[in-house]
Amino acid sequence: MGLRYKLLYLVLDGAADRLSDPETTLEKASKPGLDKIAKYGLCGAMYTVGKGIAPESDEAVISLLGYDPHEVYTGRGPIEAVGAGLSLREGYEIAFRANFATIDPSSYRIIDRRVGRSLTSEEARQLAEALDNLDLGAYGGYARVKATIGHRAVVIIGSRTHRLSPMVENNDPAYERKGLISVAAKEFQPFLKEVKPLDNTVEARITAELANLFTRKAVEILDKHPVNEERRRKGLLPANAIVLRDAGGSIPKATPLNTKYNCRFAVLAEMPVEIGIGRIFGADTIVLPPPTGDPRRDYEERLDATLKAISKHDIVYVHLKGPDEPGHDGDFELKKKRIEEIDKYFVQPLLENRPSRLAIIVTADHATPPSVKSHTDDPVPVVFNAEGVAPDEVDAFTEKKCYRGRLGVYEHGWQLLPDIYRRFLAE
């Protein structure tokens, strides 16, 4: 199980912008640590899933770990469920990724799909408990609900008596179902959609009916819940609905990471989707605490966990969330600040305390340009930095500069880690 180097695989969620943007957040950010890694490394670019695919984080991360998501992907819902510590009774339970949302209960018009990002994890936990084990009143149906972080949750629709199918639409109008993958809708009406079957099977029809029953019952319960009454008193949006998307009915099956790379592999993550991927693909999965809002404390904590993991493992994948949300919100300055915080409190101290023979990959799981406010299919920058590996001419970690680096452009994210492993890590 010997490798020439240990490897830190650092992924900055949504850090990239568009190559065509006049100026990107990576270009504007002050990030001496990341730029140093690029200056003394080999740089390139990568389409994290493929050209023309604006990936969601789950399929992007699966790809970054070296798996073709088209071969192993079973939907976002099961991954989030595993990340939240839930099991799935395959054939009789369908897992959905879910958000608490704010709607007009009389018309089902969506006021805010994420409750203004103001819902606390504790509030969400209480709301989820009010819905957990809900009897749906048909087909032996029931719902299991678990809150995760902030406005996010997992909903499992099950039946005690009937087989179910993941081939159903989302009730979230912002995302359209394309097989087992959801893609951002270019235009949509801001109303909760009726869940409809995507194929002409009894299983899909029953699943859609149960999901719609859950949606209606959830609104009735949540709208009057004491948490929401208190939020209204404080002038905050109520979390009085749940939007569902990304149904899946089985757990992905693939060669475990430890076996694939013949080494001890760890995944460090804070969000349920990355936690779920780590667990499903057989890594030693280390759950990071949710961010506190204090970047110095949060990144010092993450760096400490990273260095401990490196001492015990050969490859350590670390996923840092910071830049993605301000990209979705179109906030260029805040996204720039988030990148600068990662550099100041994680990357620079890492370089100061870098263990010997530690190689580093830095990249992003996708682009989330503030100019677009959603994920795009643009290539993301990549750098590989290791002692004894001659650098190229690139002097900064930016989209345009890395694109011209000597690593070249990877057409698919699943090519990156196996290529680096073969060329630089394997004895």
Side-chain angles (χ1 to χ4, degrees):
M1 254 205 259
L3 298 181
R4 281 183 239 169
Y5 303 93
K6 290 195 172 194
L7 176 67
L8 170 61
Y9 193 173
L10 180 60
V11 176
L12 312 182
D13 199 309
D17 292 347
R18 309 207 85 161
L19 278 173
S20 59
D21 282 341
E23 209 162 33
T24 71
T25 39
L26 283 173
E27 289 169 344
K28 287 292 286 182
S30 172
K31 48 181 190 357
L34 289 167
D35 289 343
K36 183 177 181 181
I37 293 173
K39 183 175 181 179
Y40 296 101
L42 278 175
C43 297
M46 168 180 61
Y47 292 89
T48 55
V49 174
K51 287 183 182 178
I53 298 172
E56 288 293 292
S57 289
D58 53 349
E59 57 177 322
V61 172
I62 290 169
S63 185
L64 292 182
L65 292 174
Y67 302 89
D68 180 348
H70 300 114
E71 294 178 357
V72 301
Y73 189 67
T74 60
R76 177 76 170 255
I79 295 170
E80 296 261 354
V82 171
L86 299 173
S87 59
L88 197 62
R89 196 162 60 98
E90 294 188 10
Y92 295 88
E93 289 186 333
I94 304 299
F96 292 82
R97 178 189 183 184
N99 283 0
F100 286 100
T102 306
I103 69 165
D104 174 350
S106 62
S107 66
Y108 280 23
R109 184 177 68 84
I110 298 173
I111 296 165
D112 194 299
R113 292 177 56 256
R114 302 182 181 94
V115 201
R117 295 196 192 276
S118 65
L119 191 68
T120 69
S121 295
E122 175 57 25
E123 287 175 321
R125 185 190 64 78
Q126 293 181 47
L127 295 172
E129 284 183 355
L131 302 176
D132 196 27
N133 295 315
L134 185 63
D135 189 313
L136 299 180
Y139 304 111
Y142 57 88
R144 296 161 58 200
V145 183
K146 186 168 182 179
T148 55
I149 294 176
H151 57 271
R152 303 168 186 87
V154 176
V155 172
I156 293 176
I157 301 293
S159 171
R160 298 176 190 87
T161 55
H162 291 70
R163 294 187 68 85
L164 303 179
S165 166
M167 300 310 295
V168 294
E169 289 185 354
N170 306 323
N171 74 3
D172 184 345
Y175 287 88
E176 296 173 354
R177 207 83 200 277
K178 304 289 184 185
L180 289 172
I181 293 172
S182 288
V183 297
K186 289 186 170 63
E187 295 179 357
F188 63 89
Q189 294 296 314
F191 291 86
L192 274 186
K193 287 167 52 180
E194 183 180 356
V195 177
K196 294 181 179 177
L198 288 171
D199 61 30
N200 193 28
T201 62
V202 172
E203 293 86 352
R205 179 178 58 77
I206 292 174
T207 306
E209 285 188 44
L210 290 175
N212 290 322
L213 284 167
F214 169 76
T215 300
R216 291 192 289 272
K217 287 176 179 286
V219 172
E220 291 171 8
I221 293 167
L222 294 176
D223 196 52
K224 303 178 182 68
H225 194 282
V227 163
N228 284 324
E229 296 294 355
E230 179 63 22
R231 287 180 63 83
R232 289 187 182 100
R233 278 195 290 273
K234 292 177 179 176
L236 298 170
L237 293 172
N240 61 350
I242 286 195
V243 293
L244 305 175
R245 60 180 165 119
D246 305 331
S250 62
I251 307 298
K253 295 169 181 64
T255 303
L257 285 159
N258 292 337
T259 304
K260 185 177 178 71
Y261 297 106
N262 192 32
C263 72
R264 296 163 299 177
F265 202 112
V267 167
L268 277 66
E270 65 193 42
M271 302 301 289
V273 63
E274 288 88 26
I275 295 166
I277 288 169
R279 290 171 175 167
I280 288 165
F281 289 90
D284 184 3
T285 304
I286 298 162
V287 179
L288 300 168
T292 64
D294 178 347
R296 178 192 290 271
R297 175 183 164 187
D298 291 339
Y299 289 123
E300 283 178 354
E301 203 169 47
R302 280 151 176 70
L303 179 58
D304 183 57
T306 298
L307 293 171
K308 285 178 180 173
I310 288 167
S311 72
K312 299 174 183 175
H313 300 85
D314 302 299
I315 299 177
V316 176
Y317 175 98
V318 179
H319 197 104
L320 299 180
K321 185 70 178 168
D324 186 54
E325 282 193 0
H328 280 290
D329 294 340
D331 192 333
F332 185 99
E333 289 301 318
L334 185 57
K335 183 174 178 182
K336 179 171 83 73
K337 183 182 178 187
R338 293 288 179 259
I339 291 167
E340 292 172 343
E341 289 166 352
I342 290 172
D343 193 85
K344 182 175 181 179
Y345 299 123
F346 186 96
V347 177
Q348 293 179 47
L350 167 70
L351 295 179
E352 290 167 11
N353 297 280
R354 183 174 184 171
S356 62
R357 307 300 292 173
L358 177 67
I360 300 174
I361 293 174
V362 184
T363 189
D365 55 345
H366 50 73
T368 313
S371 60
V372 181
K373 299 186 183 181
S374 66
H375 299 181
T376 68
D377 69 334
D378 290 86
V380 300
V382 178
V383 58
F384 173 73
N385 177 297
E387 180 185 334
V389 176
D392 54 26
E393 304 302 313
V394 176
D395 62 358
F397 185 69
T398 69
E399 298 87 351
K400 297 179 184 72
K401 289 188 175 184
C402 286
Y403 193 85
R404 298 193 291 269
R406 199 146 37 91
L407 269 182
V409 179
Y410 292 90
E411 296 297 318
H412 303 286
W414 63 81
Q415 298 167 336
L416 173 66
L417 186 54
D419 183 56
I420 295 294
Y421 178 88
R422 176 183 55 81
R423 291 170 60 187
F424 301 108
L425 301 182
E427 291 282 16

